[in-house]
Structures are given as structure tokens and as C-alpha cells.
Amino acid sequence: MRSYSKPHSPFNTKLILICASVVLFVFLLITTTSSFSKSPISQSHLSNSTHPVDDSEPSPLDCPSLPLTPTCTKTPPSLANALIHYATTNITPQQTLKEISVSARVLEKKAPCNFLVFGLGHDSLMWAGLNHGGRTVFLEEDKAWIEQIKQKLPSLESYHVEYVTKVHQADDLLKTGMKEECKVVGDPRFSKCDLALKGFPNEIYDIEWDLIMVDAPTGFHDEAPGRMNAIYTAGLMARNREEGETDVFVHDVNRVVEDKFSMAFLCEGYLREQQGLLRHFTIPSHRARSGRPFCP
């Protein structure tokens, strides 16, 4: 999710966010103004009326009296921070507009909700803003990067996690994931599958996540941790929720690991959409209906 790990979006996302903020401001201004303005009654309507007006009875055309003290709608802090941040920096999210729009549509329906993001980067404030009122948590492999982001964006909730795998181990790990113990749905902390990540803070496992975004750890060279475990664990968490479903997104599916592991453990049958380098899966609870196969 950091700028060195992938190229910048060809779309000017910052410009789009600024335009969106202007539209939001104009909309709020119009809404606030219209609430205090009277409904117009044309002079021609009054003069052409054939019925006398009884001043003693209220007319259905009468406007309500104006409030003594006007009110206004404030921009939520998370959105205000995001707008200011992206308007004053030259660094924009690495996902393209079309890719971001896939997750944004789901957030529009589900927010406020629980949103877990693998990775902490330049798009993190955007995700937190789009999930205003919900809980957005970021899991990051680089301690120094976490501290750097915290200094600039202290409102973001992030945790340091460690990965022990390497990208060059992906083929062996894919074979490991085909074993029966990896098809058992349950809490990742107690899974017997070597792909399950067990070192997160306990509350990460205790929360039922409505959305999970896998855009980390680093996976663009052989010695990088790779996203094998993250993808598998995201799918396991989704299946282990008590009821309902979880939307899981995987970025950089042009790479071998992200492509193969998302199809193997998030399942082609749960694939809802692919836009650019982003895949969107919707995984239902496997606890709510016993006997459901790992993949449909």
C-alpha cells in the first residue's frame, strides 16, 4: 500500500476527491438554505383564485414559521481530515478510481461497519473516511512505517503484525492449503492449518468483519512475506462469522500469489467482480449452515 510497492494510479484521485468535497459542500449548503426558505406562491395563482381566502383557517399552502436559531450540518471529522489530507499532499492512493469504486459501493451500503485492512498506506485515511462511524483497523508489517503514519495521521487505528513466510514458498504453501485441516472452518487462533495467522491482537479475531481488504503485506519480490497467509486467513475469518456475509477484496491479482491464492481460498464461486487489479468476493457464514463446502 506504500508508494514504493506499486505504481501510482493513472487517474488523478486527488482531483476527484476535491471535486467530490465541493459537490458535498454545495449539497449541504443547498439543503441547509432550502430548509429555511418559504415555498413560493405565485402572484398569478392568488389573483386568479375564485375562492375567498379565510384568514382564520390555515391554508395548506401556508409555510411553517422559521426557526428562531438556524442550524447547520457539520462535516464528520473523519471526512474532513481525509479531504484536508488529500487536498494538501501530492501522494494519492495507489488503487485506480475504478478499483476504489468497487469497495466504495459496498461501503456505501454497509457503513458504518467493521472494516479490516491488511496494510497501512496513503489510502488508509480514505478508507476510514468512507467508513465514517464504523471501525476501520489496519494491520501493517513495518513498525517504522506505522510510526511515520501515526505522526501524520494519529486518528488511524493500526497494529503491527509479523509474517514468517516468503513469496518463493508460495507453491509449497498452496499445497499445504489443500490439506483437510485447512478446510476446517473455525477461529484462526486454533486452526491446525499452517496458513492461518495466529499472532494478531485477540480483538481482531473476536470482531466479525463486514469488509476485509487484502492489500498487504509486501509481495512484489521473492524474499517479501507475500499475501498467502493473509488471503487464507481473511477467508477463514469470513466463513467463521456467526451469520451473514463478509465482502473480501484482494488487490494486485495480476501477480501469481494473489491470483492463485484468492481463487483457491476465497473461491471462484464467491467471486462477484473484478475491476482492474482488484477482485471482490462475497463469502457467507459457514457456521450459519452446517455442511456447506469450503468452496461452492
Side-chain angles (χ1 to χ4, degrees):
M1 298 178 71
R2 282 158 282 175
S3 57
Y4 63 77
S5 63
K6 63 190 77 169
H8 284 290
S9 163
F11 296 90
N12 194 332
T13 310
K14 182 174 73 173
L15 178 60
I16 294 169
L17 287 170
I18 295 172
C19 293
S21 69
V22 173
V23 172
L24 175 62
F25 174 76
V26 173
F27 173 76
L28 291 174
L29 181 62
I30 293 174
T31 303
T32 304
T33 304
S34 64
S35 66
F36 306 128
S37 60
K38 293 186 177 181
S39 302
I41 304 175
S42 67
Q43 187 65 34
S44 61
H45 174 82
L46 292 175
S47 60
N48 293 334
S49 175
T50 57
H51 299 283
V53 177
D54 185 358
D55 293 337
S56 63
E57 295 183 4
S59 166
L61 296 176
D62 287 343
C63 298
S65 59
L66 294 176
L68 295 178
T69 55
T71 59
C72 64
T73 303
K74 291 184 177 180
T75 303
S78 58
L79 295 179
N81 290 338
L83 291 172
I84 293 171
H85 172 73
Y86 291 115
T88 56
T89 180
N90 292 325
I91 302 174
T92 55
Q94 280 75 55
Q95 291 188 27
T96 68
L97 173 61
K98 289 184 178 180
E99 291 166 355
I100 291 172
S101 297
V102 174
S103 310
R105 284 195 297 270
V106 178
L107 279 168
E108 185 179 5
K109 295 177 182 178
K110 289 193 169 184
C113 63
N114 295 320
F115 186 10
L116 180 65
V117 183
F118 284 81
L120 181 68
H122 301 300
D123 53 2
S124 297
L125 195 60
M126 177 188 68
W127 296 129
L130 291 173
N131 189 30
H132 170 68
R135 185 174 185 182
T136 307
V137 177
F138 302 91
L139 303 178
E140 170 60 38
E141 73 209 75
D142 189 338
K143 274 187 176 181
W145 180 249
I146 292 176
E147 292 305 315
Q148 184 177 340
I149 292 295
K150 277 186 175 181
Q151 290 179 6
K152 296 180 180 179
L153 307 170
S155 63
L156 296 180
E157 182 180 2
S158 60
Y159 299 95
H160 176 247
V161 295
E162 295 181 351
Y163 301 92
V164 296
T165 55
K166 302 293 182 183
V167 169
H168 65 76
Q169 300 171 324
D171 288 341
D172 291 336
L173 290 171
L174 189 60
K175 293 176 183 178
T176 296
M178 297 298 111
K179 296 179 180 179
E180 284 305 312
E181 59 263 31
C182 295
K183 305 296 183 182
V184 177
V185 175
D187 190 320
R189 287 172 290 188
F190 311 118
S191 173
K192 295 181 180 179
C193 180
D194 291 338
L195 280 171
L197 291 168
K198 304 175 183 180
F200 299 158
N202 284 329
E203 61 182 314
I204 300 299
Y205 301 102
D206 295 334
I207 295 172
E208 291 193 346
W209 300 101
D210 302 297
L211 280 80
I212 302 177
M213 173 75 71
V214 181
D215 205 3
T218 308
F220 61 90
H221 59 88
D222 283 349
E223 293 301 317
R227 300 176 187 173
M228 299 80 69
N229 302 71
I231 292 172
Y232 174 83
T233 303
L236 191 58
M237 285 176 155
R239 292 177 176 87
N240 192 51
R241 65 180 298 147
E242 188 172 344
E243 58 183 6
E245 60 187 23
T246 301
D247 291 280
V248 182
F249 306 89
V250 179
H251 197 224
D252 298 316
V253 294
N254 59 315
R255 301 193 303 219
V256 174
V257 167
E258 286 79 355
D259 176 31
K260 289 186 176 181
F261 277 73
S262 65
M263 286 302 193
F265 302 115
L266 303 181
C267 306
E268 187 173 0
Y270 291 142
L271 178 63
R272 292 294 173 263
E273 181 180 1
Q274 178 170 338
Q275 186 64 251
L277 307 183
L278 185 81
R279 281 183 188 155
H280 171 207
F281 300 82
T282 302
I283 302 179
S285 165
H286 282 218
R287 291 170 57 190
R289 196 184 83 183
S290 60
R292 191 190 293 265
F294 190 82
C295 283

